[in-house]
Amino acid sequence: MSDTEENTAMSEPCVLITSSDDSFKEDELIKQILNSNTLPEPTKTDKGVVWYPWTINNKYYTAEVSLCAVPNTFHMSLEIFQATQAFIAYFDSSVKDGLEKLNPWISVVEEIAPEVLILVCDKVCENGVTRHEAQQWCLSHSFELIELNPQDVPDEDDDFPESTGVKRIVQALNANVWSNVEMKNGSNQGLGLMSSLVAVAGRHNASRSSAEPSLSNLPIVGAEDDEKHEQKESEKSATQEDSVVDAMTDLDIQELADLTAGNADVDNFERLFTKLKEMKDKASSLPHDQRKVHAERVAKAFWTAIGGDNDEIDSLSSGEES
């Protein structure tokens, strides 16, 4: 490798990929991300660490990223530390101590603080690491849990299906704002942004609802007399809060539309994704049965705010207004 190629590899942002499962190496996950049966020629190899090139090319930008296979924390270096902008850890969910083997990485990840944190396994296992245990670990360390071959697949009839497996990994990496991103010029990208808003909100809500047990389903002895009174108070406060929420949502939508209409530079792009995340987090506070309706309402309002055609947005409707 020439000095120029090596310097390029060092300057590119990297996705640090590690596996604590001896039977599933980092290279296997990299092949799945690249959707290839073979690995590309490494841009660099150093003391057990291998850098593979990956060009992210989507509707909004292109970015040259390194998929960096790091077997364990002993292989970490200052170069990797400074370049890491996403972290993906695979673990063996079939054994009880599968998550414990990732403990050495926790302090490293907390210091790097990458934007993307993904925990991957083949599928959660009742005889090994259960779904609840994996989700609690993710909540504690701000990771997203992704199963490559989940037992529970999304409902095909769902208007906002949740992405799973390696598709979701690639999706999350595409949503990141990389340090070397090159924005694409062009117009008529509003529909893509709107669809992304709906999809991201749907995915986030699905993961949050599965991770958080519903206290309302637990029986409470002696609470029958209070239920009717609490229901009336809840309906009253909900009516008062709706107007406040709607006003805040309108402001969020207008700001999102302004960012979309702005210059296609890195700062504007980063603010746009930050705003999308803020709106996604706000939606997660809604009751589960209201989240999907809210996400679609926001998407429709956003499409209208940027001058979109009503016929196009109607084609994405879940049927609530039909």
Side-chain angles (χ1 to χ4, degrees):
M1 178 185 296
S2 67
D3 291 340
T4 301
E5 290 175 326
E6 185 168 344
N7 289 336
T8 299
M10 292 174 62
S11 62
E12 288 178 352
C14 85
V15 181
L16 195 165
I17 300 174
T18 190
S19 174
S20 61
D21 184 355
D22 292 336
S23 64
F24 189 94
K25 296 299 185 181
E26 296 83 9
D27 290 355
E28 180 59 36
L29 185 55
I30 290 175
K31 285 192 288 187
Q32 293 191 35
I33 292 174
L34 296 176
N35 192 26
S36 174
N37 293 325
T38 59
L39 291 166
E41 186 69 22
T43 53
K44 183 181 178 181
T45 302
D46 183 30
K47 298 178 181 179
V49 178
V50 185
W51 285 257
Y52 296 100
W54 184 34
T55 300
I56 299 179
N57 184 8
N58 58 42
K59 187 174 183 178
Y60 305 106
Y61 70 84
T62 60
E64 298 296 332
V65 177
S66 292
L67 300 176
C68 189
V70 184
N72 53 58
T73 55
F74 296 105
H75 290 79
M76 282 294 292
S77 65
L78 180 61
E79 175 189 347
I80 302 171
F81 184 93
Q82 293 176 337
T84 298
Q85 296 182 21
F87 179 83
I88 301 176
Y90 185 93
F91 76 102
D92 183 4
S93 58
S94 66
V95 295
K96 288 289 186 180
D97 63 345
L99 287 172
E100 294 177 11
K101 294 180 180 179
L102 292 176
N103 286 342
W105 281 105
I106 294 176
S107 60
V108 176
V109 171
E110 288 177 348
E111 193 168 355
I112 297 175
E115 290 295 324
V116 180
L117 294 170
I118 299 175
L119 178 69
V120 184
C121 65
D122 181 60
K123 63 172 67 71
V124 292
C125 180
E126 291 304 317
N127 296 322
V129 177
T130 66
R131 180 176 301 281
H132 177 73
E133 290 171 337
Q135 288 173 337
Q136 288 301 312
W137 190 95
C138 286
L139 289 172
S140 298
H141 303 294
S142 302
F143 276 67
E144 176 182 358
L145 174 64
I146 297 179
E147 299 170 84
L148 296 180
N149 299 292
Q151 291 182 338
D152 299 326
V153 296
D155 187 352
E156 294 181 356
D157 296 329
D158 194 341
D159 294 309
F160 303 99
E162 177 186 0
S163 296
T164 59
V166 71
K167 179 180 178 181
R168 173 58 194 148
I169 296 176
V170 173
Q171 208 170 52
L173 295 174
N174 270 264
N176 188 45
V177 183
W178 304 95
S179 58
N180 62 345
V181 65
E182 293 185 10
M183 301 300 301
K184 290 184 178 180
N185 294 324
S187 56
N188 299 324
Q189 295 185 352
L191 182 59
L193 280 171
M194 180 214 61
S195 301
S196 297
L197 174 61
V198 176
V200 169
R203 289 192 301 271
H204 180 73
N205 295 338
S207 63
R208 278 291 295 269
S209 62
S210 62
E212 298 175 357
S214 176
L215 297 179
S216 61
N217 294 329
L218 300 178
I220 304 175
V221 179
E224 291 85 354
D225 295 338
D226 297 330
E227 287 183 356
K228 291 184 179 180
H229 175 72
E230 290 178 356
Q231 182 178 358
K232 290 181 180 179
E233 289 298 318
S234 177
E235 291 174 353
K236 180 179 179 181
S237 61
T239 302
Q240 294 172 340
E241 291 173 0
D242 280 346
S243 59
V244 177
V245 172
D246 288 341
M248 293 176 64
T249 300
D250 288 342
L251 290 174
D252 287 338
I253 292 169
Q254 187 56 55
E255 183 178 350
L256 196 64
D258 292 342
L259 288 171
T260 305
N263 296 327
D265 55 29
V266 175
D267 290 339
N268 198 65
F269 186 75
E270 186 169 358
R271 289 197 301 273
L272 178 62
F273 268 90
T274 299
K275 193 63 192 177
L276 284 170
K277 184 179 184 302
E278 290 176 359
M279 295 179 71
K280 175 186 68 176
D281 291 341
K282 288 181 182 178
S284 68
S285 65
L286 294 172
H288 178 61
D289 58 347
Q290 297 179 20
R291 294 174 185 172
K292 192 181 298 181
V293 174
H294 175 78
E296 183 170 318
R297 187 178 67 175
V298 169
K300 288 183 177 182
F302 169 61
W303 182 239
T304 303
I306 61 174
D309 191 332
N310 288 333
D311 291 338
E312 293 182 67
I313 185 62
D314 286 342
S315 67
L316 296 176
S317 174
S318 65
E320 75 195 65
E321 296 180 358
S322 60

